[in-house]
């Protein structure tokens, strides 16, 4: 069985997710390029969670492989999401008066121009490598069957490899949150990995809360998650 972090983080980067960093107001200065022909003429959106819902703060059309966001002034550093129309593409950090460059490519999407985004996208890249290795396991099974290996031995070997890769991904996510407790990345990624299932107090989450910084614990999403998680655990215990 996949671990909770592994399942949720894989889903969250492909699905519409909720960002609970409110009041994001600073000047937006993002210059973007796209090498994906299918994006030509389509509209990209920046969205943040505000007043209980995802709201668009700026939009841009891709023209000759270029686009730019220069929307209204924002007032705090916050996690935002890039959308291709209604499809969530990626998260990134919008910081006060910090020009950013955005690259959309067949192999990698990224945002550069600030230390927080460098940290975030290094994490996303490491996670993508593990995801690719996990996704390759079924293909390896097919090849090994064609090569004449015993099916039970194949399954045993691939299950062991999946367990190792899942454990590495769980550790990657947990370590990332622990290492970024004093900035916006920890509550942002915590939101991503917990936003698609009913809140529960798993051992990993209990460990994170025990080690959490005051800034992390004061985040609106973290507080709401913990409130509902405790209520759910009480119901289970009854």
């Amino acid at each position: 069985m996949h671990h909770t972090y592994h399942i949720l983080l894989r889903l969250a980067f492909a699905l519409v997710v909720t960002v609970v960093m409110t009041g994001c107001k600073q000047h937006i200065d993002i210059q973007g390029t796209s090498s994906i022909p299918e994006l030509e003429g389509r509209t990209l959106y920046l969205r943040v969670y505000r007043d209980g819902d995802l709201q668009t703060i700026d939009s841009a059309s891709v023209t000759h492989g270029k686009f730019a966001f220069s929307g209204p002034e924002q007032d705090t550093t916050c996690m935002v999401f890039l959308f291709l129309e209604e499809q969530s593409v990626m998260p990134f950090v919008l910081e006060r008066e910090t020009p950013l460059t955005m690259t959309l490519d067949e192999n990698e999407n990224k945002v550069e121009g600030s230390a927080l985004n460098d940290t975030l996208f290094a994490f996303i890249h490491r996670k993508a490598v593990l995801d690719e290795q996990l996704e390759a396991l079924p293909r390896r099974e097919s090849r090994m069957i064609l090569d004449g290996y015993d099916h039970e031995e194949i399954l045993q070997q691939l299950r062991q490899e999946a367990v190792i890769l899942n454990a590495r991904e769980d550790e990657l996510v947990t370590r990332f949150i622990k290492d970024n407790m004093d900035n916006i990345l920890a509550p942002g990624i915590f939101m991503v990995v917990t936003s698609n299932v009913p809140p529960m107090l798993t051992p990993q989450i209990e460990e994170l809360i025990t080690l959490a910084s005051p800034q992390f614990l004061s985040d609106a999403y973290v507080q709401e998650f913990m409130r509902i998680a405790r209520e759910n655990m009480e119901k289970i215990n009854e």
Side-chain angles (χ1 to χ4, degrees):
M1 180 179 294
H2 290 173
H3 292 288
T4 301
Y5 283 141
H6 166 68
I7 296 172
L8 293 180
L9 192 58
R10 174 173 291 188
L11 289 173
F13 283 99
L15 301 176
V16 176
V17 292
T18 303
V19 187
V20 192
M21 290 31 168
T22 59
C24 179
K25 291 186 178 180
Q26 67 238 322
H27 177 63
I28 300 173
D29 183 1
I30 302 173
Q31 300 298 315
T33 59
S34 167
S35 62
I36 304 173
E38 292 79 7
L39 294 187
E40 188 67 23
R42 300 183 68 179
T43 302
L44 300 168
Y45 297 91
L46 298 184
R47 290 174 179 161
V48 298
Y49 184 83
R50 183 179 295 160
D51 299 328
D53 196 10
L54 280 171
Q55 296 187 12
T56 298
I57 58 174
D58 200 9
S59 64
S61 295
V62 180
T63 304
H64 303 305
K66 297 185 180 298
F67 58 92
F69 294 102
S70 56
E73 184 175 336
Q74 311 294 311
D75 64 11
T76 60
T77 296
C78 62
M79 186 87 78
V80 301
F81 275 79
L82 176 71
F83 276 74
L84 172 61
E85 295 162 359
E86 296 306 313
Q87 177 186 359
S88 181
V89 177
M90 63 178 172
F92 68 97
V93 179
L94 193 61
E95 301 177 60
R96 180 184 297 276
E97 300 301 329
T98 303
L100 301 173
T101 59
M102 181 179 292
T103 304
L104 304 181
D105 185 81
E106 292 284 0
N107 298 317
E108 184 180 26
N109 301 321
K110 61 183 178 180
V111 174
E112 298 174 295
S114 72
L116 286 177
N117 279 305
D118 291 345
T119 300
L120 174 61
F121 281 89
F123 162 76
I124 291 174
H125 176 74
R126 291 194 297 270
K127 183 192 170 298
V129 171
L130 292 173
D131 283 344
E132 289 172 2
Q133 293 175 359
L134 281 162
E135 291 165 1
L137 294 181
R139 296 192 296 273
R140 285 183 53 203
E141 178 184 357
S142 299
R143 287 197 302 269
M144 292 171 76
I145 290 174
L146 291 174
D147 290 340
Y149 290 94
D150 180 76
H151 196 210
E152 281 302 317
E153 292 180 359
I154 294 171
L155 292 178
Q156 181 178 357
Q157 177 182 336
L158 295 184
R159 276 196 294 264
Q160 290 174 346
E161 292 185 25
V163 167
I164 292 171
L165 289 170
N166 280 319
R168 289 176 180 171
E169 189 157 302
D170 287 349
E171 174 60 24
L172 173 66
V173 174
T174 302
R175 175 54 55 190
F176 183 81
I177 294 175
K178 289 178 180 177
D179 289 347
N180 291 279
M181 283 290 184
D182 292 322
N183 63 57
I184 202 167
L185 296 177
I189 293 302
F190 181 82
M191 179 278 304
V192 169
V193 301
T194 60
S195 63
N196 291 288
V197 296
M200 302 296 291
L201 294 180
T202 66
Q204 296 99 324
I205 289 174
E206 289 182 333
E207 179 187 3
L208 287 175
I209 295 302
T210 300
L211 301 173
S213 67
Q215 179 176 338
F216 182 85
L217 294 174
S218 66
D219 177 79
Y221 175 82
V222 173
Q223 291 184 345
E224 182 67 5
F225 176 92
M226 291 304 299
R227 183 187 68 79
I228 298 175
R230 292 188 178 103
E231 291 179 356
N232 288 341
M233 297 304 292
E234 290 176 1
K235 292 176 182 177
I236 291 175
N237 292 332
E238 290 175 358

